[in-house]
């Protein structure tokens, strides 16, 4: 049996029950207090010839426990989420000063001023979802001209990193600057998805409302899940 009861915050909890049975409040403790008040009022005003059954009382008490349990669960999940964020921040900070491979198509080439200095380049890589029978790398300059083509042959699925020696197709040395790399992969004549990877140096960690991001200097920022390999 249920009846409508009008209460004007008799428990001083900041929550009230209206004649329609609606409740307003901000916490499970407020809801539990008002629920108990309503239950006591219901018991006091029930029809003696048709009292509340045991199963009805048990059901209402179970609802109180459910609400309280949900609030405790939310508190626990919030604590776990905070621990995960702190763990990710610690993991990210350990990458400072290390090179990482992330999705991208840039290779940087540079040569020292000393006589006999060789051209040095940043690594490049590829991520394959399945093994490939033929993988071809094409390196172009800033104007889109192809300066070097490299055949990598067969590669297994996964992440692979390589280094270009800085030589051009004609045997000369690549001028200082940024180059673009594109990669094609095939198996049985069928093109495969080949994600080019570029090198970046982790210079710091930025903690924000959206999580932890890695500061990559001129390459901007990236998240931990974008890191494919740590060098």
């Amino acid at each position: 049996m249920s009846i409508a009861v009008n209460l004007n915050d008799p428990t001083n909890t900041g929550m009230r029950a209206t004649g329609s049975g609606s409740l307003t409040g901000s916490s499970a403790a407020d809801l539990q207090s008002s629920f108990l008040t309503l239950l006591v009022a219901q018991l006091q005003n029930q029809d003696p010839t048709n009292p509340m059954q045991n199963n009805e009382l048990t059901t209402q008490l179970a609802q109180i426990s459910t609400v309280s349990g949900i609030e405790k669960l939310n508190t626990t999940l919030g604590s776990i989420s905070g621990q995960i964020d702190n763990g990710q921040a610690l993991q990210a900070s350990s990458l400072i000063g290390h090179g990482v491979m992330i999705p991208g198509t840039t290779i940087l080439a540079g040569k020292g001023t000393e006589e006999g200095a060789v051209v040095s380049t940043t690594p490049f890589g590829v991520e394959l979802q399945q093994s490939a029978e033929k993988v071809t790398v094409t390196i172009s300059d800033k104007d889109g001209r192809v300066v070097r083509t490299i055949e990598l042959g067969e590669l297994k699925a996964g992440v692979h990193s390589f280094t270009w020696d800085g030589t051009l197709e004609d045997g000369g040395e690549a001028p200082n600057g940024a180059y673009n790399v594109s990669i094609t992969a095939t198996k049985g004549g069928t093109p495969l998805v080949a994600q080019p990877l570029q090198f970046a140096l982790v210079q710091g960690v930025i903690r924000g409302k959206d999580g932890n991001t890695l500061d990559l200097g001129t390459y901007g920022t990236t998240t931990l899940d974008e890191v494919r390999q740590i060098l």
Side-chain angles (χ1 to χ4, degrees), residues 48-90:
T49 64
N50 185 25
M52 180 184 295
Q53 300 298 314
N54 290 338
N55 62 335
E56 294 177 328
L57 177 60
T58 302
T59 299
Q60 296 196 35
L61 291 175
Q63 291 174 351
I64 297 175
S65 298
T66 299
V67 172
S68 178
I70 290 175
E71 184 178 34
K72 291 179 180 179
L73 177 61
N74 289 337
T75 301
T76 301
L77 290 177
S79 176
I80 293 175
S81 177
Q83 293 176 5
I84 291 175
D85 289 341
N86 290 333
Q88 289 180 339
L90 182 61

mmCIF file of all heavy atoms in Angstrom, residues 48-90:
data_model
loop_
_atom_site.group_PDB
_atom_site.id
_atom_site.type_symbol
_atom_site.label_atom_id
_atom_site.label_comp_id
_atom_site.label_asym_id
_atom_site.label_seq_id
_atom_site.Cartn_x
_atom_site.Cartn_y
_atom_site.Cartn_z
ATOM 1 N N PRO A 48 -5.056 -0.189 8.673
ATOM 2 C CA PRO A 48 -4.870 -1.355 9.567
ATOM 3 C C PRO A 48 -5.447 -2.638 8.997
ATOM 4 O O PRO A 48 -4.994 -3.728 9.320
ATOM 5 C CB PRO A 48 -5.591 -0.937 10.860
ATOM 6 C CG PRO A 48 -5.624 0.560 10.795
ATOM 7 C CD PRO A 48 -5.769 0.907 9.349
ATOM 8 N N THR A 49 -6.493 -2.500 8.174
ATOM 9 C CA THR A 49 -7.112 -3.708 7.601
ATOM 10 C C THR A 49 -6.347 -4.231 6.392
ATOM 11 O O THR A 49 -6.620 -5.319 5.901
ATOM 12 C CB THR A 49 -8.560 -3.408 7.188
ATOM 13 O OG1 THR A 49 -8.569 -2.426 6.133
ATOM 14 C CG2 THR A 49 -9.377 -2.891 8.366
ATOM 15 N N ASN A 50 -5.400 -3.423 5.900
ATOM 16 C CA ASN A 50 -4.610 -3.850 4.737
ATOM 17 C C ASN A 50 -3.174 -3.361 4.907
ATOM 18 O O ASN A 50 -2.707 -2.490 4.187
ATOM 19 C CB ASN A 50 -5.224 -3.278 3.450
ATOM 20 C CG ASN A 50 -4.505 -3.787 2.198
ATOM 21 O OD1 ASN A 50 -3.905 -4.851 2.211
ATOM 22 N ND2 ASN A 50 -4.592 -3.008 1.143
ATOM 23 N N PRO A 51 -2.451 -3.897 5.917
ATOM 24 C CA PRO A 51 -1.100 -3.411 6.211
ATOM 25 C C PRO A 51 -0.113 -3.782 5.101
ATOM 26 O O PRO A 51 -0.360 -4.658 4.282
ATOM 27 C CB PRO A 51 -0.751 -4.128 7.516
ATOM 28 C CG PRO A 51 -1.551 -5.390 7.458
ATOM 29 C CD PRO A 51 -2.844 -5.024 6.775
ATOM 30 N N MET A 52 1.015 -3.071 5.139
ATOM 31 C CA MET A 52 2.072 -3.341 4.160
ATOM 32 C C MET A 52 2.610 -4.753 4.342
ATOM 33 O O MET A 52 2.858 -5.201 5.452
ATOM 34 C CB MET A 52 3.225 -2.327 4.331
ATOM 35 C CG MET A 52 4.377 -2.533 3.362
ATOM 36 S SD MET A 52 5.752 -1.401 3.690
ATOM 37 C CE MET A 52 4.974 0.173 3.332
ATOM 38 N N GLN A 53 2.774 -5.433 3.230
ATOM 39 C CA GLN A 53 3.290 -6.797 3.271
ATOM 40 C C GLN A 53 4.810 -6.777 3.479
ATOM 41 O O GLN A 53 5.493 -5.795 3.183
ATOM 42 C CB GLN A 53 2.953 -7.524 1.957
ATOM 43 C CG GLN A 53 1.460 -7.620 1.684
ATOM 44 C CD GLN A 53 0.741 -8.411 2.764
ATOM 45 O OE1 GLN A 53 1.199 -9.483 3.153
ATOM 46 N NE2 GLN A 53 -0.401 -7.879 3.237
ATOM 47 N N ASN A 54 5.329 -7.889 4.018
ATOM 48 C CA ASN A 54 6.761 -7.983 4.282
ATOM 49 C C ASN A 54 7.600 -7.787 3.018
ATOM 50 O O ASN A 54 8.660 -7.156 3.039
ATOM 51 C CB ASN A 54 7.104 -9.331 4.923
ATOM 52 C CG ASN A 54 6.586 -9.430 6.343
ATOM 53 O OD1 ASN A 54 6.342 -8.420 6.981
ATOM 54 N ND2 ASN A 54 6.397 -10.652 6.820
ATOM 55 N N ASN A 55 7.134 -8.349 1.920
ATOM 56 C CA ASN A 55 7.896 -8.240 0.682
ATOM 57 C C ASN A 55 7.943 -6.806 0.173
ATOM 58 O O ASN A 55 8.933 -6.367 -0.420
ATOM 59 C CB ASN A 55 7.336 -9.170 -0.393
ATOM 60 C CG ASN A 55 5.897 -8.832 -0.764
ATOM 61 O OD1 ASN A 55 5.172 -8.251 0.036
ATOM 62 N ND2 ASN A 55 5.479 -9.222 -1.958
ATOM 63 N N GLU A 56 6.874 -6.020 0.429
ATOM 64 C CA GLU A 56 6.886 -4.622 0.027
ATOM 65 C C GLU A 56 7.898 -3.826 0.853
ATOM 66 O O GLU A 56 8.627 -2.985 0.323
ATOM 67 C CB GLU A 56 5.487 -4.012 0.198
ATOM 68 C CG GLU A 56 4.428 -4.607 -0.728
ATOM 69 C CD GLU A 56 3.054 -4.017 -0.467
ATOM 70 O OE1 GLU A 56 2.766 -3.668 0.694
ATOM 71 O OE2 GLU A 56 2.278 -3.914 -1.429
ATOM 72 N N LEU A 57 7.934 -4.101 2.167
ATOM 73 C CA LEU A 57 8.892 -3.432 3.032
ATOM 74 C C LEU A 57 10.323 -3.793 2.631
ATOM 75 O O LEU A 57 11.208 -2.943 2.566
ATOM 76 C CB LEU A 57 8.633 -3.818 4.497
ATOM 77 C CG LEU A 57 9.606 -3.234 5.537
ATOM 78 C CD1 LEU A 57 9.567 -1.704 5.499
ATOM 79 C CD2 LEU A 57 9.285 -3.754 6.924
ATOM 80 N N THR A 58 10.544 -5.082 2.361
ATOM 81 C CA THR A 58 11.876 -5.536 1.950
ATOM 82 C C THR A 58 12.310 -4.867 0.659
ATOM 83 O O THR A 58 13.469 -4.458 0.505
ATOM 84 C CB THR A 58 11.894 -7.057 1.768
ATOM 85 O OG1 THR A 58 11.512 -7.682 3.003
ATOM 86 C CG2 THR A 58 13.268 -7.546 1.351
ATOM 87 N N THR A 59 11.391 -4.733 -0.287
ATOM 88 C CA THR A 59 11.707 -4.097 -1.567
ATOM 89 C C THR A 59 12.126 -2.649 -1.385
ATOM 90 O O THR A 59 13.116 -2.188 -1.974
ATOM 91 C CB THR A 59 10.496 -4.161 -2.505
ATOM 92 O OG1 THR A 59 10.167 -5.539 -2.762
ATOM 93 C CG2 THR A 59 10.792 -3.470 -3.827
ATOM 94 N N GLN A 60 11.402 -1.912 -0.539
ATOM 95 C CA GLN A 60 11.725 -0.507 -0.330
ATOM 96 C C GLN A 60 13.066 -0.348 0.392
ATOM 97 O O GLN A 60 13.851 0.557 0.085
ATOM 98 C CB GLN A 60 10.603 0.177 0.449
ATOM 99 C CG GLN A 60 9.284 0.185 -0.337
ATOM 100 C CD GLN A 60 8.284 1.177 0.241
ATOM 101 O OE1 GLN A 60 8.662 2.228 0.718
ATOM 102 N NE2 GLN A 60 7.011 0.823 0.190
ATOM 103 N N LEU A 61 13.336 -1.224 1.359
ATOM 104 C CA LEU A 61 14.630 -1.163 2.042
ATOM 105 C C LEU A 61 15.774 -1.493 1.076
ATOM 106 O O LEU A 61 16.865 -0.923 1.164
ATOM 107 C CB LEU A 61 14.641 -2.130 3.228
ATOM 108 C CG LEU A 61 13.729 -1.750 4.406
ATOM 109 C CD1 LEU A 61 13.734 -2.847 5.462
ATOM 110 C CD2 LEU A 61 14.159 -0.424 5.018
ATOM 111 N N ALA A 62 15.525 -2.429 0.160
ATOM 112 C CA ALA A 62 16.549 -2.799 -0.830
ATOM 113 C C ALA A 62 16.857 -1.626 -1.751
ATOM 114 O O ALA A 62 17.999 -1.441 -2.184
ATOM 115 C CB ALA A 62 16.088 -3.996 -1.648
ATOM 116 N N GLN A 63 15.833 -0.808 -2.049
ATOM 117 C CA GLN A 63 16.058 0.353 -2.898
ATOM 118 C C GLN A 63 16.998 1.348 -2.229
ATOM 119 O O GLN A 63 17.828 1.981 -2.888
ATOM 120 C CB GLN A 63 14.716 1.015 -3.222
ATOM 121 C CG GLN A 63 13.827 0.180 -4.138
ATOM 122 C CD GLN A 63 12.446 0.789 -4.322
ATOM 123 O OE1 GLN A 63 12.086 1.738 -3.640
ATOM 124 N NE2 GLN A 63 11.676 0.227 -5.240
ATOM 125 N N ILE A 64 16.878 1.480 -0.898
ATOM 126 C CA ILE A 64 17.779 2.368 -0.168
ATOM 127 C C ILE A 64 19.219 1.890 -0.313
ATOM 128 O O ILE A 64 20.142 2.665 -0.595
ATOM 129 C CB ILE A 64 17.385 2.430 1.326
ATOM 130 C CG1 ILE A 64 15.982 3.012 1.489
ATOM 131 C CG2 ILE A 64 18.390 3.274 2.105
ATOM 132 C CD1 ILE A 64 15.491 3.000 2.925
ATOM 133 N N SER A 65 19.436 0.597 -0.124
ATOM 134 C CA SER A 65 20.781 0.036 -0.217
ATOM 135 C C SER A 65 21.350 0.197 -1.623
ATOM 136 O O SER A 65 22.543 0.440 -1.802
ATOM 137 C CB SER A 65 20.764 -1.447 0.177
ATOM 138 O OG SER A 65 20.351 -1.607 1.522
ATOM 139 N N THR A 66 20.479 0.063 -2.637
ATOM 140 C CA THR A 66 20.934 0.194 -4.023
ATOM 141 C C THR A 66 21.448 1.593 -4.298
ATOM 142 O O THR A 66 22.517 1.784 -4.892
ATOM 143 C CB THR A 66 19.787 -0.144 -4.991
ATOM 144 O OG1 THR A 66 19.370 -1.493 -4.781
ATOM 145 C CG2 THR A 66 20.241 0.031 -6.435
ATOM 146 N N VAL A 67 20.682 2.604 -3.869
ATOM 147 C CA VAL A 67 21.098 3.989 -4.091
ATOM 148 C C VAL A 67 22.419 4.281 -3.395
ATOM 149 O O VAL A 67 23.338 4.884 -3.957
ATOM 150 C CB VAL A 67 20.002 4.964 -3.602
ATOM 151 C CG1 VAL A 67 20.514 6.406 -3.649
ATOM 152 C CG2 VAL A 67 18.755 4.825 -4.453
ATOM 153 N N SER A 68 22.545 3.832 -2.136
ATOM 154 C CA SER A 68 23.777 4.047 -1.378
ATOM 155 C C SER A 68 24.951 3.340 -2.041
ATOM 156 O O SER A 68 26.056 3.875 -2.127
ATOM 157 C CB SER A 68 23.595 3.549 0.056
ATOM 158 O OG SER A 68 24.778 3.709 0.810
ATOM 159 N N GLY A 69 24.705 2.112 -2.522
ATOM 160 C CA GLY A 69 25.774 1.346 -3.177
ATOM 161 C C GLY A 69 26.245 1.999 -4.457
ATOM 162 O O GLY A 69 27.440 1.996 -4.765
ATOM 163 N N ILE A 70 25.316 2.587 -5.227
ATOM 164 C CA ILE A 70 25.692 3.247 -6.477
ATOM 165 C C ILE A 70 26.591 4.440 -6.206
ATOM 166 O O ILE A 70 27.579 4.667 -6.906
ATOM 167 C CB ILE A 70 24.429 3.676 -7.253
ATOM 168 C CG1 ILE A 70 23.695 2.441 -7.792
ATOM 169 C CG2 ILE A 70 24.787 4.614 -8.403
ATOM 170 C CD1 ILE A 70 22.380 2.749 -8.463
ATOM 171 N N GLU A 71 26.249 5.216 -5.154
ATOM 172 C CA GLU A 71 27.082 6.374 -4.840
ATOM 173 C C GLU A 71 28.488 5.932 -4.428
ATOM 174 O O GLU A 71 29.490 6.536 -4.833
ATOM 175 C CB GLU A 71 26.447 7.202 -3.720
ATOM 176 C CG GLU A 71 27.243 8.477 -3.430
ATOM 177 C CD GLU A 71 26.594 9.334 -2.363
ATOM 178 O OE1 GLU A 71 25.985 8.771 -1.444
ATOM 179 O OE2 GLU A 71 26.707 10.561 -2.456
ATOM 180 N N LYS A 72 28.597 4.870 -3.621
ATOM 181 C CA LYS A 72 29.911 4.380 -3.210
ATOM 182 C C LYS A 72 30.704 3.877 -4.415
ATOM 183 O O LYS A 72 31.914 4.066 -4.493
ATOM 184 C CB LYS A 72 29.750 3.273 -2.168
ATOM 185 C CG LYS A 72 29.217 3.760 -0.828
ATOM 186 C CD LYS A 72 29.066 2.612 0.159
ATOM 187 C CE LYS A 72 28.527 3.106 1.495
ATOM 188 N NZ LYS A 72 28.343 1.990 2.465
ATOM 189 N N LEU A 73 29.989 3.224 -5.346
ATOM 190 C CA LEU A 73 30.650 2.727 -6.553
ATOM 191 C C LEU A 73 31.198 3.879 -7.375
ATOM 192 O O LEU A 73 32.325 3.811 -7.884
ATOM 193 C CB LEU A 73 29.668 1.905 -7.382
ATOM 194 C CG LEU A 73 30.188 1.354 -8.722
ATOM 195 C CD1 LEU A 73 31.365 0.431 -8.498
ATOM 196 C CD2 LEU A 73 29.068 0.628 -9.465
ATOM 197 N N ASN A 74 30.409 4.958 -7.522
ATOM 198 C CA ASN A 74 30.875 6.123 -8.276
ATOM 199 C C ASN A 74 32.115 6.732 -7.627
ATOM 200 O O ASN A 74 33.041 7.168 -8.312
ATOM 201 C CB ASN A 74 29.762 7.167 -8.371
ATOM 202 C CG ASN A 74 28.640 6.740 -9.299
ATOM 203 O OD1 ASN A 74 28.845 5.909 -10.176
ATOM 204 N ND2 ASN A 74 27.456 7.292 -9.113
ATOM 205 N N THR A 75 32.124 6.786 -6.287
ATOM 206 C CA THR A 75 33.280 7.327 -5.581
ATOM 207 C C THR A 75 34.522 6.474 -5.832
ATOM 208 O O THR A 75 35.620 6.988 -6.071
ATOM 209 C CB THR A 75 32.998 7.394 -4.069
ATOM 210 O OG1 THR A 75 31.860 8.226 -3.832
ATOM 211 C CG2 THR A 75 34.196 7.961 -3.322
ATOM 212 N N THR A 76 34.336 5.140 -5.793
ATOM 213 C CA THR A 76 35.457 4.230 -6.033
ATOM 214 C C THR A 76 35.989 4.365 -7.453
ATOM 215 O O THR A 76 37.201 4.408 -7.674
ATOM 216 C CB THR A 76 35.021 2.781 -5.778
ATOM 217 O OG1 THR A 76 34.568 2.644 -4.432
ATOM 218 C CG2 THR A 76 36.174 1.817 -6.015
ATOM 219 N N LEU A 77 35.072 4.458 -8.434
ATOM 220 C CA LEU A 77 35.494 4.600 -9.829
ATOM 221 C C LEU A 77 36.236 5.921 -10.038
ATOM 222 O O LEU A 77 37.210 5.975 -10.802
ATOM 223 C CB LEU A 77 34.271 4.530 -10.749
ATOM 224 C CG LEU A 77 33.602 3.162 -10.870
ATOM 225 C CD1 LEU A 77 32.356 3.251 -11.745
ATOM 226 C CD2 LEU A 77 34.569 2.144 -11.448
ATOM 227 N N GLY A 78 35.796 6.976 -9.364
ATOM 228 C CA GLY A 78 36.484 8.248 -9.472
ATOM 229 C C GLY A 78 37.902 8.157 -8.943
ATOM 230 O O GLY A 78 38.837 8.730 -9.513
ATOM 231 N N SER A 79 38.075 7.416 -7.831
ATOM 232 C CA SER A 79 39.409 7.242 -7.265
ATOM 233 C C SER A 79 40.306 6.439 -8.204
ATOM 234 O O SER A 79 41.476 6.777 -8.409
ATOM 235 C CB SER A 79 39.303 6.531 -5.910
ATOM 236 O OG SER A 79 40.581 6.260 -5.372
ATOM 237 N N ILE A 80 39.746 5.382 -8.805
ATOM 238 C CA ILE A 80 40.522 4.565 -9.739
ATOM 239 C C ILE A 80 40.932 5.384 -10.960
ATOM 240 O O ILE A 80 42.062 5.294 -11.449
ATOM 241 C CB ILE A 80 39.707 3.331 -10.166
ATOM 242 C CG1 ILE A 80 39.509 2.395 -8.970
ATOM 243 C CG2 ILE A 80 40.401 2.590 -11.309
ATOM 244 C CD1 ILE A 80 38.609 1.215 -9.263
ATOM 245 N N SER A 81 39.994 6.211 -11.450
ATOM 246 C CA SER A 81 40.297 7.054 -12.604
ATOM 247 C C SER A 81 41.441 8.004 -12.305
ATOM 248 O O SER A 81 42.331 8.220 -13.139
ATOM 249 C CB SER A 81 39.042 7.845 -13.009
ATOM 250 O OG SER A 81 39.316 8.718 -14.084
ATOM 251 N N GLY A 82 41.448 8.555 -11.080
ATOM 252 C CA GLY A 82 42.541 9.449 -10.697
ATOM 253 C C GLY A 82 43.874 8.728 -10.645
ATOM 254 O O GLY A 82 44.905 9.277 -11.064
ATOM 255 N N GLN A 83 43.871 7.482 -10.142
ATOM 256 C CA GLN A 83 45.106 6.710 -10.083
ATOM 257 C C GLN A 83 45.613 6.383 -11.482
ATOM 258 O O GLN A 83 46.831 6.394 -11.730
ATOM 259 C CB GLN A 83 44.867 5.425 -9.288
ATOM 260 C CG GLN A 83 44.584 5.654 -7.809
ATOM 261 C CD GLN A 83 44.254 4.370 -7.080
ATOM 262 O OE1 GLN A 83 44.324 3.293 -7.647
ATOM 263 N NE2 GLN A 83 43.894 4.488 -5.813
ATOM 264 N N ILE A 84 44.694 6.095 -12.408
ATOM 265 C CA ILE A 84 45.091 5.809 -13.791
ATOM 266 C C ILE A 84 45.724 7.036 -14.427
ATOM 267 O O ILE A 84 46.754 6.947 -15.109
ATOM 268 C CB ILE A 84 43.875 5.340 -14.610
ATOM 269 C CG1 ILE A 84 43.412 3.960 -14.134
ATOM 270 C CG2 ILE A 84 44.210 5.286 -16.102
ATOM 271 C CD1 ILE A 84 42.155 3.470 -14.808
ATOM 272 N N ASP A 85 45.125 8.217 -14.196
ATOM 273 C CA ASP A 85 45.684 9.457 -14.752
ATOM 274 C C ASP A 85 47.085 9.710 -14.215
ATOM 275 O O ASP A 85 47.990 10.108 -14.964
ATOM 276 C CB ASP A 85 44.773 10.649 -14.402
ATOM 277 C CG ASP A 85 43.462 10.620 -15.184
ATOM 278 O OD1 ASP A 85 43.422 9.929 -16.210
ATOM 279 O OD2 ASP A 85 42.499 11.279 -14.750
ATOM 280 N N ASN A 86 47.290 9.486 -12.906
ATOM 281 C CA ASN A 86 48.610 9.690 -12.325
ATOM 282 C C ASN A 86 49.621 8.702 -12.891
ATOM 283 O O ASN A 86 50.782 9.041 -13.136
ATOM 284 C CB ASN A 86 48.547 9.548 -10.800
ATOM 285 C CG ASN A 86 47.795 10.692 -10.142
ATOM 286 O OD1 ASN A 86 47.742 11.789 -10.688
ATOM 287 N ND2 ASN A 86 47.205 10.443 -8.988
ATOM 288 N N GLY A 87 49.169 7.453 -13.109
ATOM 289 C CA GLY A 87 50.057 6.446 -13.688
ATOM 290 C C GLY A 87 50.451 6.795 -15.111
ATOM 291 O O GLY A 87 51.611 6.618 -15.508
ATOM 292 N N GLN A 88 49.490 7.321 -15.890
ATOM 293 C CA GLN A 88 49.799 7.725 -17.256
ATOM 294 C C GLN A 88 50.758 8.904 -17.284
ATOM 295 O O GLN A 88 51.632 8.988 -18.152
ATOM 296 C CB GLN A 88 48.510 8.064 -18.000
ATOM 297 C CG GLN A 88 47.641 6.860 -18.314
ATOM 298 C CD GLN A 88 46.372 7.240 -19.043
ATOM 299 O OE1 GLN A 88 45.919 8.391 -18.990
ATOM 300 N NE2 GLN A 88 45.767 6.287 -19.729
ATOM 301 N N ALA A 89 50.581 9.826 -16.325
ATOM 302 C CA ALA A 89 51.490 10.977 -16.265
ATOM 303 C C ALA A 89 52.912 10.521 -15.966
ATOM 304 O O ALA A 89 53.887 11.025 -16.547
ATOM 305 C CB ALA A 89 51.011 11.963 -15.201
ATOM 306 N N LEU A 90 53.054 9.556 -15.043
ATOM 307 C CA LEU A 90 54.376 9.034 -14.711
ATOM 308 C C LEU A 90 54.986 8.320 -15.901
ATOM 309 O O LEU A 90 56.178 8.466 -16.199
ATOM 310 C CB LEU A 90 54.269 8.080 -13.513
ATOM 311 C CG LEU A 90 55.583 7.472 -13.009
ATOM 312 C CD1 LEU A 90 56.528 8.573 -12.547
ATOM 313 C CD2 LEU A 90 55.303 6.500 -11.862
#
